[in-house]
């Protein structure tokens, strides 16, 4: 690869920050290419060139928070819609989990640029990540993400007594959505009416649509894990900070 590409894109590729953060840093004069400050947005670089950032950028990035919330039914993940509140409305001191061990103090400025890194539909509950850190957002929802997500799904079979083993195998690998074959999943019974789904992709209402294709009606859906971070005992409607020792 020898073609020049946008500096902000290259910074994102290198894992330094998100493209939006890169543009902010470039505009503030916090980015150097081969030791020379580059402050013009849209500047291009070669892959062989060395990119560094000023200490101010690293200091600002370290202040950015990542919050884990146990989203209840009736809240949307992102922007408010159709009269429903976004999950970020729950992020206030009164709803912070009393057992959160993080020393971080809550401040309303932490709500700025706090965006969901992945979604849960309005009828689903469980682990939702909200972050100010573009690196985390890219890691969780970028096209190349390898972070798996685990869900517990309560179901009822509508075509007889029991889901055939052949359809369970199709849930693991063999279904197509929106004209594309789904990536392999891990789907297994937890008990007689609950399945565990582990996915590495997140198409819109994917699990509900997968279940519908094999005659399963979803009665409840809860996300319990994203990579190495578990929902654990976090109560519904409450939140905590991502711990310094936790990694997705």
């Amino acid at each position: 690869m020898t073609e020049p590409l946008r500096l902000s894109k290259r910074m994102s590729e290198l894992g330094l920050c998100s493209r939006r953060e890169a543009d902010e840093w470039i505009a503030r004069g916090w980015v150097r290419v081969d030791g020379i400050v580059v402050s013009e947005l849209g500047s291009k670089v070669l892959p062989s060139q060395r990119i560094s950032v000023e200490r101010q950028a690293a200091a600002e990035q370290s202040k950015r928070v990542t919050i884990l919330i146990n989203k209840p039914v009736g809240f949307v993940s992102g922007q408010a819609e159709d009269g429903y509140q976004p999950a970020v409305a729950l992020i206030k001191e009164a709803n912070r989990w009393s057992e959160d061990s993080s020393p971080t103090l809550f401040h309303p400025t932490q709500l700025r640029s706090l965006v969901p890194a992945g979604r849960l539909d309005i009828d689903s509950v469980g682990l939702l990540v909200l972050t100010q850190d573009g690196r985390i957002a890219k890691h969780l929802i970028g096209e190349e993400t390898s972070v798996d997500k685990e869900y517990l799904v309560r179901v009822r079979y509508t075509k007889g007594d029991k889901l055939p083993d052949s359809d369970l195998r199709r849930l693991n690998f063999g279904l197509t959505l929106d004209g594309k074959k789904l990536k392999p999943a891990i789907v297994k019974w937890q008990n007689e009416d609950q399945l565990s789904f582990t996915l590495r992709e997140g198409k819109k209402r994917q699990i509900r649509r997968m279940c519908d294709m094999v005659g399963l009606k979803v009665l409840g859906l809860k996300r319990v894990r994203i990579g190495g971070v578990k929902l654990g005992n976090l109560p519904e409607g409450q939140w905590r900070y991502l711990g310094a020792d936790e990694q997705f």
Side-chain angles (χ1 to χ4, degrees):
M1 186 174 69
T2 56
E3 291 292 313
L5 65 166
R6 283 179 70 103
L7 175 56
S8 57
K9 181 179 180 184
R10 181 61 177 154
M11 290 172 68
S12 174
E13 284 181 353
L14 292 170
L16 295 172
C17 57
S18 68
R19 288 199 202 184
R20 185 181 64 191
E21 286 172 321
D23 283 335
E24 287 178 15
W25 295 356
I26 293 166
R28 292 186 184 189
W30 289 353
V31 179
R32 293 176 181 265
V33 177
D34 291 337
I36 299 170
V37 172
V38 175
S39 57
E40 184 177 337
L41 294 177
S43 297
K44 294 193 173 185
V45 295
L46 291 168
S48 58
Q49 292 184 281
R50 185 173 63 85
I51 299 168
S52 59
V53 296
E54 302 294 330
R55 280 182 295 181
Q56 298 100 305
E60 183 176 278
Q61 197 171 52
S62 69
K63 296 177 192 170
R64 303 199 174 198
V65 300
T66 296
I67 286 173
L68 312 174
I69 186 167
N70 187 344
K71 187 191 87 66
V73 167
F75 284 80
V76 293
S77 297
Q79 298 292 323
E81 56 185 68
D82 300 328
Y84 293 106
Q85 284 189 297
V88 72
L90 293 166
I91 309 299
K92 45 193 173 186
E93 186 63 49
N95 291 341
R96 184 174 179 180
W97 189 27
S98 61
E99 295 182 28
D100 185 3
S101 60
S102 171
T104 303
L105 298 177
F106 175 71
H107 193 277
T109 55
Q110 293 166 356
L111 301 177
R112 293 181 198 153
S113 305
L114 192 66
V115 296
R119 308 181 84 79
L120 272 178
D121 67 51
I122 195 167
D123 302 318
S124 301
V125 303
L127 184 58
L128 181 68
V129 178
L130 300 164
T131 186
Q132 293 179 314
D133 192 330
R135 296 169 301 174
I136 287 177
K138 183 186 178 196
H139 182 56
L140 295 185
I141 59 178
E143 289 183 11
E144 303 302 318
T145 183
S146 60
V147 178
D148 61 1
K149 302 169 182 71
E150 184 180 353
Y151 304 78
L152 295 180
V153 187
R154 197 158 52 86
V155 294
R156 176 168 54 82
Y157 189 49
T158 62
K159 293 183 176 181
D161 294 333
K162 183 183 175 185
L163 180 75
D165 289 343
S166 58
D167 279 341
L168 182 63
R169 287 194 293 272
R170 288 177 66 210
L171 286 171
N172 277 271
F173 188 50
L175 296 178
T176 298
L177 282 184
D178 304 326
K180 290 185 70 175
K181 199 169 183 67
L182 293 174
K183 293 179 181 178
I186 300 173
V187 184
K188 55 190 177 184
W189 288 105
Q190 295 292 104
N191 52 52
E192 62 182 19
D193 68 348
Q194 186 169 251
L195 285 163
S196 163
F197 277 72
T198 301
L199 307 179
R200 282 200 167 167
E201 59 190 329
K203 295 183 181 294
K204 190 172 182 179
R205 296 180 77 84
Q206 178 173 335
I207 290 176
R208 294 176 189 276
R209 293 164 70 194
M210 289 171 71
C211 286
D212 186 59
M213 293 171 78
V214 296
L216 290 171
K217 180 177 177 58
V218 173
L219 305 176
L221 191 155
K222 181 178 188 177
R223 184 157 62 200
V224 296
R225 180 178 62 80
I226 299 176
V229 176
K230 294 180 180 179
L231 178 65
N233 296 323
L234 181 62
E236 195 169 299
Q238 295 188 27
W239 62 273
R240 68 175 179 87
Y241 291 104
L242 180 72
D245 59 340
E246 291 183 291
Q247 291 190 335
F248 291 103

